C-alpha cells in the first residue's frame, strides 16, 4: 500500500470518531459554534497557529506560519443542513431538523486528520500550509465569500478542496478541467394584479393565471434562447398566492433558481427572465418586479491543477474518472475566481446502485472507508509539492 494511504488508514478509527461526533451534532450555516470550537482545539493541540472566528464561525489554522511562501491551502466546509435526518442507527443527528446530509462532517474530519499527519512532518515541509475550515457553504453570500472579503486568501498560491460523493465508489476521484459546477443565482418575480371575487374574474386582473403562464414561458429560456450546447437551468421552485379558494388575490410571487456553466449565459439570464415576466404580465394587464440575486459563480478547474491532483490520486493506487459537470453549485468557486487550484469529488459510495438518496436527501450517507482516501490525497499532494517522500 502506498505510504500516504497507509498512514491515513492507520488513522481510520480516529477519522470515523470525529466524523460521527460531528454527524451527531450538526450545526447549520453561521451556527457552527461547537464544531469550530472542536476544530480549533484540535488544531491547537497539534501546535498549529489558529485563528478562531474567521468569517464569524470559521477557523483558519496554519502549519509553518513563519516559513516563506507560497502558501498551499486545503479547505473543508463544516456546516450542516436544515433538514431532518431520516437515517437510523446510533450515530444519527441529535439536533431536530438539522443534519449533516451533504457530507461536510466528513470533510472536516478528513482535513483534521490531514493536519495531524502534516504536523508530524512539519520540519520537512518548506512552505506554510493553511487549513481553511469554512463555515456556511450551504447559503448564498456564505462562508467562502466572507473569507475572501476578510483577506484570508492572501499569499495563497494554490487551493485544494474535496467533496465526498456517494455516486462514485471508494478509491475513485471524479474531476474535470474547465467548468465543473454551475453558477447558482436566485430570482423572485412579484406580479401585481387586481384581486376580486373568484366568481367574477372579468372584474379582476388575475395574477395567478399570469404566474402560471410566466412559469411556462420561463421554460423557453433554456429551450429557445440559450444555445442548446450551453447548459442552463431556470427552475421556479416556490409559488405564493392567495389565501382563500374563492378569492382571486391581488398579487402573486414566484421564486426560483437560475444556473449556468458559462459567464456569457449567466450574464444574460436576468434580462431574459425580466423580459418574459414583464411581457406575459403585460398581456394580462399586469406589472411585475423582478429581483435577481447573483450567488455562487461557475466553478472552473484549471487543467494544470486537475492534472496535479489526478497524479497524486493515482500515486495512491486510486482511479480518476473524468466526471461530467454538475448543475449543483459550490462556493469553492469564490476561491477559484481569485487563485488557482482544484475542486474534486472523492468517491464515497459503498457499491450499492445509485439511488436518489444523494446530497441533501434525508437519508444521505457515505461509506466511511472514503475518509482515509481523502486524508491520503491531501497528504500525497502536499508531499509531492514539497518534494519529500514519506
Ligand atoms: Ni456539500
Amino acid at each position: 500500500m502506498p505510504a500516504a494511504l497507509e498512514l491515513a488508514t492507520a488513522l481510520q478509527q480516529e477519522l470515523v470518531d470525529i466524523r460521527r461526533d460531528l454527524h451527531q451534532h450538526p450545526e447549520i450555516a453561521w451556527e457552527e459554534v461547537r464544531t469550530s470550537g472542536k476544530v480549533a482545539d484540535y488544531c491547537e493541540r497539534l501546535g498549529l497557529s489558529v485563528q478562531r472566528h474567521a468569517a464569524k464561525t470559521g477557523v483558519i489554522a496554519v502549519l509553518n506560519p513563519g516559513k516563506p511562501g507560497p502558501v498551499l491551502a486545503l479547505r473543508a466546509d463544516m456546516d450542516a443542513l436544515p433538514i431532518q435526518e431520516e437515517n437510523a442507527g446510533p450515530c444519527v443527528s441529535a439536533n431536530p431538523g438539522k443534519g449533516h446530509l451533504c457530507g461536510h462532517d466528513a470533510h472536516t474530519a478528513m482535513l483534521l486528520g490531514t493536519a495531524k499527519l502534516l504536523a508530524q512532518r512539519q520540519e520537512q515541509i518548506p512552505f506554510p500550509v493553511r487549513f481553511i475550515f469554512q463555515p456556511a457553504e450551504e447559503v448564498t453570500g456564505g462562508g467562502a465569500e466572507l473569507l475572501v472579503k476578510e483577506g484570508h486568501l492572501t499569499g495563497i498560491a494554490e487551493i485544494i478542496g474535496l467533496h465526498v460523493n456517494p455516486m462514485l465508489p471508494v478509491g475513485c476521484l471524479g474531476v474535470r478541467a474547465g467548468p465543473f459546477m454551475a453558477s447558482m443565482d436566485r430570482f423572485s418575480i412579484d406580479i401585481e394584479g387586481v384581486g376580486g371575487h373568484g366568481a367574477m374574474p372579468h372584474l379582476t386582473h388575475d395574477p395567478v393565471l399570469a404566474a402560471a403562464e410566466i412559469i411556462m414561458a420561463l421554460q423557453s429560456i433554456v429551450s429557445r434562447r440559450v444555445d442548446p450546447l450551453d447548459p442552463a437551468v431556470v427552475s421556479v421552485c416556490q409559488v405564493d398566492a392567495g389565501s382563500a379558494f374563492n378569492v382571486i388575490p391581488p398579487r402573486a410571487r414566484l421564486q426560483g433558481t437560475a444556473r449556468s456553466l458559462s459567464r456569457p449565459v449567466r450574464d444574460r439570464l436576468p434580462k431574459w427572465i425580466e423580459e418574459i415576466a414583464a411581457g406575459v404580465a403585460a398581456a394580462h394587464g399586469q406589472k411585475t418586479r423582478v429581483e435577481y440575486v447573483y450567488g455562487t459563480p461557475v466553478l472552473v478547474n484549471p487543467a494544470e491543477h486537475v492534472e496535479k491532483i489526478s497524479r497524486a490520486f493515482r500515486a495512491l493506487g486510486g482511479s480518476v474518472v473524468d466526471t461530467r459537470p454538475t448543475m449543483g453549485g459550490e462556493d469553492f468557486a469564490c476561491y477559484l475566481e481569485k487563485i488557482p487550484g482544484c475542486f474534486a469529488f472523492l468517491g464515497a459510495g459503498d457499491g450499492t446502485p445509485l439511488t436518489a438518496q444523494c446530497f441533501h436527501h434525508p437519508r444521505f450517507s457515505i461509506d466511511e472507508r472514503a475518509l482515509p482516501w481523502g486524508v491520503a490525497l491531501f497528504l500525497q499532494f502536499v508531499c509531492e509539492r514539497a518534494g519529500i517522500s514519506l
Side-chain angles (χ1 to χ4, degrees):
M1 189 186 280
L5 193 56
E6 201 171 321
L7 288 163
T9 303
L11 274 191
Q12 167 82 9
Q13 193 52 51
E14 184 178 355
L15 296 170
V16 166
D17 290 345
I18 296 172
R19 186 245 163 188
R20 289 186 183 181
D21 173 65
L22 297 175
H23 194 87
Q24 279 182 282
H25 302 96
E27 295 172 307
I28 60 171
W30 306 124
E31 294 179 7
E32 306 92 334
V33 175
R34 178 186 184 275
T35 308
S36 59
K38 291 234 162 198
V39 164
D41 291 347
Y42 189 98
C43 291
E44 274 174 3
R45 284 198 299 276
L46 296 177
L48 306 185
S49 155
V50 174
Q51 181 184 346
R52 294 170 191 252
H53 312 298
K56 296 181 189 168
T57 45
V59 177
I60 306 285
V62 188
L63 180 80
N64 292 333
K67 291 191 180 171
V71 180
L72 175 65
L74 307 175
R75 175 270 207 171
D77 43 10
M78 303 191 290
D79 55 327
L81 285 155
I83 301 173
Q84 177 67 46
E85 180 168 14
E86 289 177 12
N87 286 312
C91 299
V92 298
S93 170
N95 295 351
K98 296 169 188 176
H100 265 298
L101 300 167
C102 197
H104 300 186
D105 48 350
H107 305 164
T108 306
M110 293 191 301
L111 198 55
L112 287 174
T114 305
K116 183 174 192 172
L117 293 178
L118 288 175
Q120 292 164 0
R121 290 157 183 81
Q122 187 165 356
E123 292 78 35
Q124 295 166 265
I125 298 163
F127 48 81
V129 180
R130 197 174 300 169
F131 301 91
I132 299 177
F133 294 92
Q134 183 204 307
E137 191 280 323
E138 298 285 4
V139 291
T140 307
E145 206 179 303
L146 189 54
L147 283 167
V148 172
K149 266 192 208 141
E150 288 183 1
H152 293 288
L153 297 193
T154 309
I156 297 176
E158 187 173 16
I159 185 164
I160 302 296
L162 297 175
H163 202 299
V164 288
N165 187 339
M167 290 186 282
L168 296 169
V170 170
C172 181
L173 190 77
V175 68
R176 170 175 281 198
F180 189 50
M181 296 185 75
S183 59
M184 189 172 59
D185 304 330
R186 57 188 285 186
F187 63 87
S188 62
I189 303 170
D190 286 294
I191 304 152
E192 211 56 55
V194 176
H197 201 300
M200 299 163 201
H202 60 296
L203 301 179
T204 72
H205 285 160
D206 181 1
V208 176
L209 180 62
E213 286 189 15
I214 289 171
I215 294 170
M216 306 264 280
L218 288 176
Q219 296 314 304
S220 69
I221 293 176
V222 173
S223 68
R224 285 297 175 269
R225 299 216 182 186
V226 177
D227 183 326
L229 297 176
D230 286 329
V233 170
V234 177
S235 292
V236 175
C237 302
Q238 198 173 342
V239 180
D240 298 296
S243 55
F245 84 97
N246 57 355
V247 177
I248 291 172
R251 60 192 68 88
R253 179 162 225 240
L254 306 174
Q255 293 184 80
T257 180
R259 293 159 187 246
S260 68
L261 284 179
S262 79
R263 185 84 221 189
V265 172
R266 186 190 195 199
D267 286 344
R268 295 166 79 186
L269 289 172
K271 183 175 162 282
W272 286 331
I273 290 171
E274 244 177 274
E275 240 174 51
I276 287 172
V280 172
H284 290 270
Q286 297 173 40
K287 286 199 172 354
T288 53
R289 196 177 64 251
V290 175
E291 191 190 8
Y292 192 95
V293 181
Y294 285 97
T296 307
V298 181
L299 187 149
V300 183
N301 276 330
E304 176 198 339
H305 297 269
V306 169
E307 190 42 52
K308 277 163 71 176
I309 201 168
S310 302
R311 197 169 55 232
F313 200 71
R314 286 195 193 98
L316 301 173
S319 61
V320 179
V321 291
D322 180 27
T323 308
R324 273 155 55 101
T326 151
M327 299 309 280
E330 161 63 67
D331 75 359
F332 195 84
C334 297
Y335 304 131
L336 291 182
E337 268 198 332
K338 306 276 179 197
I339 46 174
C342 186
F343 188 75
F345 285 121
L346 181 72
D350 60 5
T352 53
L354 172 64
T355 67
Q357 292 166 18
C358 206
F359 308 110
H360 299 203
H361 189 278
R363 287 195 293 279
F364 171 86
S365 71
I366 59 157
D367 187 325
E368 290 175 327
R369 287 175 302 168
L371 300 174
W373 279 95
V375 173
L377 177 56
F378 281 137
L379 181 63
Q380 180 73 22
F381 191 89
V382 174
C383 290
E384 281 187 12
R385 192 169 187 274
I388 58 175
S389 52
L390 291 161

